[in-house]
Amino acid sequence: MEYLSSNKIAIIDLGTSKIVHEKLDEDLVRKKIGGVGITCELYERYQKEDPIILGTGLLTGTLVPASALGMITAKNPSTGKVCHAPLTLYAGMELKYSGFDYIVIKGNAPKPMYLWVHDGIADILDAKEIWGKDVWEATDSIRDSMGDALIQVLGIGKAGESGSDFAQVCINYWASGDRWGFGKLFGQKKLKLVALRGMSLLEIADPEEFVRECKELLSTIKNGSFAGKQGIGELSAAIGEDIRKWLEPIIHRHLSCFNTPFPTNTFVFLDEDPKLLKESEKNEPGFLITDIYGLLGFKKLGLSAAESSTLLRECARVGIDAVAIAELSQKAGKTKPEEIKKSFADLKGPLENLAKGTFSPWASPRPIFADFALPPDGSQNLNWWDRRQAMAYIFGIHPIFALMSPELTEEKLTELATIGTGLDFTSETLDQVVRNIIK
Amino acid sequence: MIVYPSYLNPLPFTPKIGIYMGAGASHSWLWFVDLLDRMGLDDVHFINEREILIDGLESVDVLLMSGGDTFAIAQSLGVEGSRRLRHFIEEGGLYIGTCAGAYLPLRSSMEFLNQFNFINVKISNISRRLSESERHLFQKHACSPYGCEFVYHVVREDVLLEMEEGYQVGGKKEIIAPLYGGPSMLPSEDMEVIAYYRGFTKKTKFLVEKELAEKTLNGNIAVAQKRIGKGRLYIFGPHFEHPNYPEANGIIARIILKEGKERATRPFDTGPLSSKIGHSFFEEWRRELSHSRMVAFGLEMLPLQWMIGNKWYEPEKIRVFLEALWRRLNYLESGEETAVALEDPKGMIGRLKEMTHLLRTMKKECDRGHTTDGLAENLFLHLKGVASDFLTIYFRKKKLESKLSGA
């Protein structure tokens, strides 16, 4: 695979420490396009070895607006169903540039390990120095030892190490859209984290046309219905749970994922003055809210924005899904922050809101800001949402942004994939891939 | 996109070319590497001061000496180095010096430099030619100490040059090349002029008032040559070898192909063929170059500068080394295992790992707010060693392949 690709798949066996590099077969891309189209194929190929597949969309890390998405495809340890979790912020982009389009992680390590994937090299390294550390400490440790603060870390904390059903794979210091307990899978494999960094380049089949089309698309998109809005507060209003006034006093700034025109993340200052504009001497001051539903869950317990965000921070450090913690705390009648914090390890039981689909419900179940011309009774929402998410996870488009930008049509993304790769993708191919994924 | 002219070798032999990368050399010798690579010349060797002081010059037909710290180069070569360099030229060798490599053979009364004095010429960019008020205009970056005086620099980046007949490109008199502290020479009967400084372009960065820049450069000599015995010296104030200036590159290519004489009397000591070096060897290179590149990139985000010898170094120069290797790595990884002559493959990997270690240590020290001058000096020494290790393998593989394809 010559274009928009590193042309490499790493097959990593944690049990034997053997790493095999395979070329990304162009025929596979013709048939499955990319992203979950291919992670599902790789999952089936290695399913006997209970693999975790890391992947990127065909357009991830390019000039295509919102091309931020990478993904984890694996079996949900609670339901046994194969699901996909989004890798946003800069993790999807970094995976694309790490020299591998896809990484298959199979087998269980005999002792704690971590993967260091960079510029076409994948190394299995001893994690004895970081096993037992929380997500933040482990991220700091890897970045310090490698001397690079831009390394993207997909890691687990104590929740994953101890086999919690709600353990989450976090991205650097922050919560991810892993609602499936993939952190538990990492823990079972004795895999503390995957560190990603790449300074490679992507080749484009027709670079001039590709850049021209991307610029044109961006100029159309940026005037969309989200224009002038930003952050978690506006997202909450759009999904009918307006928390803008509640959150406003602690907001410091908003943060976009790679090349995404709408900032879906909001920095809050918990220990510092939110009005502080100059850069703090602390690394990554405050806390980045990346998961609206976790925040809403704690709000429902009657907590303040600062209390809720402090709990989100604790969840991120431990590497546990805040949505699950909020729901189980409510069931257990725990409403005080300290009480909830102390009970992370003990909270157990089924979740009423356990996600049942294939794609993470981290992205809202309905359009955001925009009108996608759906019937007002919501009768088509589910089919539409599944297809929209499938499209995002195939091409590598931010799954929340995909819900707010009708301008990012399937036709346009298929066209960009054709221009970028020189392969002739059709709507029929996309239909076929989508059907296979959401069957 | 830069379009490079093609350089066909009309010589009945492939010249053996030495690139000086020893004491005092900065990073611009890598630009010569790019130029030779584009010319398809693969008999390329990397020479340091120690090799010149034994008989390294007996193994090359051409010596390329690029930028850096002229005093450090002169001091490390000393009287014996000067003698060997003169002998090399007298016996038919071709010396091409740019910037520091151009200052080196000029007449000087300064200690160490006075051992060379191959060309009797004065420079215009010395402080004794300035008025008292003008002397105060110069900041640390725009001058280098020269005894009680200083050599000063009035512009950086593009300068416009007027080429003499015989050196014009496509009938054009004017050519552009970048100037990074190289000499501006006054007329002298001891050399033949090839190009004069004529003016500036939009890309010229002025370090002083334009009038003073014009007074210092315009009408003075930028490029010249001199015959000594059977050989020749070519000296370039501007960096004609810079990869972004294909027309200027063409002048150097023409000189090498026109003046290169087959004179090397002994083969370069390449040692025995090592056992085949293959994928795991180059994987180690990829791993460590990747590590080093990412730390170096991080250092570029910091306000750093190091004075090494008489020259300022910025973090960006680290990546000039690393990128020169990185973009050639795919070629070395491709194809079958190769049996090139390597003296010490394990030592190469050791030096490579040490480079990563030094960079990471520097980054940690910078993050703690500590000075890193000593580490930086050590690092640049390592970078030169690692780069010449890598490029030696690269050119040996190219040479081997061209032999095989010729056969």
Side-chain angles (χ1 to χ4, degrees), chain B residues 64-340:
Chain B
L64 304 176
M65 179 83 77
S66 187
D69 180 348
T70 318
F71 290 99
I73 299 170
Q75 186 175 0
S76 67
L77 292 177
V79 177
E80 180 59 13
S82 165
R83 189 189 68 73
R84 286 182 180 270
L85 190 54
R86 178 179 282 276
H87 177 75
F88 163 75
I89 301 165
E90 283 173 344
E91 292 303 309
L94 171 64
Y95 174 96
I96 297 178
T98 62
C99 202
Y103 280 112
L104 185 71
L106 305 186
R107 194 187 76 173
S108 173
S109 56
M110 288 286 294
E111 191 184 6
F112 304 120
L113 279 174
N114 61 8
Q115 294 152 1
F116 291 83
N117 288 349
F118 295 174
I119 305 178
N120 188 9
V121 63
K122 292 175 179 172
I123 58 172
S124 69
N125 54 320
I126 187 154
S127 56
R128 71 172 70 101
R129 302 190 203 292
L130 295 170
S131 68
E132 207 42 50
S133 59
E134 287 171 334
R135 291 171 77 99
H136 293 294
L137 293 172
F138 289 91
Q139 306 294 316
K140 62 179 183 182
H141 286 99
C143 58
S144 311
Y146 188 84
C148 302
E149 301 289 334
F150 58 85
V151 172
Y152 66 88
H153 316 303
V154 289
V155 299
R156 285 180 72 78
E157 306 297 341
D158 281 9
V159 285
L160 191 63
L161 305 159
E162 185 179 319
M163 305 301 295
E164 287 289 271
E165 253 181 58
Y167 294 94
Q168 292 166 2
V169 181
K172 275 196 322 186
K173 267 189 161 185
E174 289 181 334
I175 198 170
I176 296 167
L179 185 67
Y180 299 119
S184 164
M185 296 166 282
L186 297 171
S188 161
E189 290 186 354
D190 198 31
M191 61 187 196
E192 183 187 317
V193 177
I194 293 175
Y196 292 97
Y197 291 102
R198 193 51 77 202
F200 309 106
T201 76
K202 283 180 184 168
K203 289 187 186 167
T204 308
K205 287 185 182 162
F206 289 93
L207 304 175
V208 293
E209 293 289 322
K210 192 176 177 189
E211 289 70 28
L212 180 53
E214 285 171 343
K215 180 180 129 185
T216 305
L217 293 181
N218 288 357
N220 289 326
I221 298 161
V223 184
Q225 63 125 326
K226 178 181 178 177
R227 171 180 286 280
I228 298 181
K230 291 185 244 170
R232 279 181 199 272
L233 290 113
Y234 283 82
I235 50 173
F236 293 77
H239 281 278
F240 271 52
E241 77 282 22
H242 191 291
N244 290 351
Y245 297 81
E247 284 186 345
N249 293 175
I251 303 286
I252 291 187
R254 274 162 54 183
I255 290 168
I256 292 173
L257 298 178
K258 186 176 153 216
E259 301 287 351
K261 292 187 176 69
E262 192 168 18
R263 63 160 296 282
T265 52
R266 57 180 283 274
F268 215 88
D269 185 13
T270 53
L273 285 183
S274 42
S275 56
K276 287 189 175 180
I277 49 170
H279 300 302
S280 60
F281 181 77
F282 293 119
E283 188 175 274
E284 206 60 59
W285 276 94
R286 175 171 284 275
R287 178 176 289 109
E288 295 307 325
L289 283 177
S290 162
H291 285 153
S292 290
R293 283 172 86 226
M294 58 184 83
V295 185
F297 182 73
L299 288 173
E300 287 174 27
M301 305 294 122
L302 303 173
L304 290 171
Q305 217 172 27
W306 306 282
M307 176 62 109
I308 300 173
N310 284 304
K311 203 157 172 70
W312 286 99
Y313 286 75
E314 301 80 27
E316 287 77 8
K317 287 185 180 146
I318 301 171
R319 279 222 293 157
V320 174
F321 284 90
L322 299 175
E323 297 306 314
L325 313 191
W326 186 254
R327 64 176 173 266
R328 290 178 170 88
L329 188 58
N330 279 344
Y331 167 73
L332 287 181
E333 288 172 326
S334 64
E336 298 300 311
E337 292 190 330
T338 317
V340 295

Side-chain angles (χ1 to χ4, degrees), chain A residues 116 118-119 121 123 146 148, chain B residues 286-287 290-291 294 360:
Chain A
W116 172 218
H118 59 107
D119 287 321
I121 297 281
D123 285 326
M146 299 298 176
D148 186 0
Chain B
R286 175 171 284 275
R287 178 176 289 109
S290 162
H291 285 153
M294 58 184 83
R360 285 179 177 165

Side-chain angles (χ1 to χ4, degrees), chain A residues 3-40:
Chain A
Y3 299 110
L4 298 184
S5 164
S6 307
N7 194 26
K8 268 211 288 198
I9 302 173
I11 317 292
I12 298 170
D13 189 332
L14 293 173
T16 61
S17 290
K18 195 175 167 196
I19 298 173
V20 176
H21 294 184
E22 283 181 3
K23 287 199 168 173
L24 176 60
D25 183 5
E26 197 171 283
D27 282 341
L28 180 65
V29 177
R30 282 181 201 278
K31 275 186 215 157
K32 303 288 180 182
I33 304 178
V36 289
I38 291 177
T39 59
C40 286

Side-chain angles (χ1 to χ4, degrees), chain A residues 132-177:
Chain A
K133 287 190 171 174
D134 74 25
V135 170
W136 289 28
E137 291 164 341
T139 298
D140 281 341
S141 175
I142 291 299
R143 287 178 169 182
D144 285 351
S145 66
M146 299 298 176
D148 186 0
L150 297 177
I151 290 169
Q152 298 296 298
V153 178
L154 314 176
I156 59 168
K158 285 172 185 161
E161 291 177 16
S162 60
S164 165
D165 287 342
F166 316 113
Q168 187 172 76
V169 176
C170 296
I171 301 173
N172 306 325
Y173 308 103
W174 319 121
S176 74

Side-chain angles (χ1 to χ4, degrees), chain B residues 28-92:
Chain B
S28 48
W29 59 273
L30 292 161
W31 299 340
F32 272 129
V33 171
D34 288 347
L35 175 56
L36 298 178
D37 206 2
R38 285 199 301 277
M39 289 173 73
L41 297 178
D42 49 30
D43 209 343
V44 178
H45 308 276
F46 302 95
I47 294 183
N48 60 27
E49 69 281 5
R50 292 186 300 281
E51 282 151 330
I52 289 180
L53 289 175
I54 40 179
D55 49 8
L57 292 179
E58 297 309 306
S59 304
V60 295
D61 305 314
V62 179
L63 178 65
L64 304 176
M65 179 83 77
S66 187
D69 180 348
T70 318
F71 290 99
I73 299 170
Q75 186 175 0
S76 67
L77 292 177
V79 177
E80 180 59 13
S82 165
R83 189 189 68 73
R84 286 182 180 270
L85 190 54
R86 178 179 282 276
H87 177 75
F88 163 75
I89 301 165
E90 283 173 344
E91 292 303 309

